[in-house]
Amino acid sequence: TTAQLRSYTGLAASYVMEFDYSQALFWATEAEKRFNAVHYVSNHGLYGMFLPSHLDSYYGRAMNMVMLASATLGTTKNPEKANKYYDDALTFFNNIGFQKGQIILLALKAQTLSSIGKINEADDIAIKTIAIASKKRMYDFIWRIETIRGINFLKEDKFEEAEKSFRKAANVVDLVSGDLQTDSAKQRFGI
C-alpha cells in the first residue's frame, strides 16, 4: 500500500509539473482513495492499534492533496473547486509541523493559476508566497517564484516588471548558490 501511495502521488506530481492536469487528477484521486482507507483504519479505535500511523503518511497525503487541488484547478479552471483540497493539505502540513508545506502549496497554486491564464490571481499568490518564504528564510523558493512572475510579466509585455522579477530571482540565486554542492545544482540555478 505504501509503495502504491508513493507511486500514485509521484505520478500525480509529475503530471502536474508537466501541466497535464487530467492525468494528474486521475492519479491524485486514486491515491486519495487509498490514503482515505489507510487513515480510516489507522485512526479506528480497534484496528488502529494494529496499524500505527507515521508522519510520512500525513506528509504524503498532504502532498497528494496539493496535487489533487492543482489538478482540479487545472482541469476545472475554478479556484473554488480546488480550495477545499488546498485547505485540507495545509491542515495536514500544519498538523505535522512541516513549515515548507505552505510555501510548496502556494507556489504550486500560483504556477497552476498562471498555466490556466489567471495571471493576476497567480501574481497575488506569488507575492504572498515570497513574503512567507522570506520571513521563514526559505530563499530557495523565492527564485523559482520570482521566475514564474517574470515569465508572466513577459507574457503581458510588462518588460520592466519582468526584469525586476528576474533580477530578484538572480539576487537570491547569488545568495544561496554558495550552498549548492553539485555542478548540476549550480547549473540549474544558473538557468
Side-chain angles (χ1 to χ4, degrees), residues 67-94:
M67 299 313 150
L68 184 57
S70 295
T72 300
L73 178 57
T75 55
T76 66
K77 297 178 178 30
N78 183 343
E80 297 303 316
K81 290 187 178 184
N83 283 339
K84 180 199 179 320
Y85 299 122
Y86 283 124
D87 292 343
D88 288 347
L90 186 58
T91 299
F92 277 112
F93 284 136
N94 289 339

Side-chain angles (χ1 to χ4, degrees), residues 58-148:
Y58 291 94
Y59 167 79
R61 190 170 190 184
M63 288 302 293
N64 188 65
M65 285 282 187
V66 172
M67 299 313 150
L68 184 57
S70 295
T72 300
L73 178 57
T75 55
T76 66
K77 297 178 178 30
N78 183 343
E80 297 303 316
K81 290 187 178 184
N83 283 339
K84 180 199 179 320
Y85 299 122
Y86 283 124
D87 292 343
D88 288 347
L90 186 58
T91 299
F92 277 112
F93 284 136
N94 289 339
N95 285 343
I96 63 171
F98 185 63
Q99 291 187 13
K100 288 184 180 180
Q102 181 183 22
I103 298 169
I104 292 169
L105 182 154
L106 291 171
L108 282 172
K109 187 174 186 179
Q111 177 180 299
T112 305
L113 285 166
S114 173
S115 74
I116 62 172
K118 295 185 180 283
I119 305 296
N120 292 332
E121 293 93 331
D123 197 50
D124 291 342
I125 299 289
I127 290 168
K128 177 181 177 180
T129 309
I130 290 166
I132 295 168
S134 294
K135 183 178 178 183
K136 294 184 178 187
R137 297 177 184 222
M138 296 178 181
Y139 303 116
D140 55 322
F141 288 95
I142 296 172
W143 75 268
R144 292 177 174 99
I145 298 163
E146 284 292 0
T147 301
I148 292 170

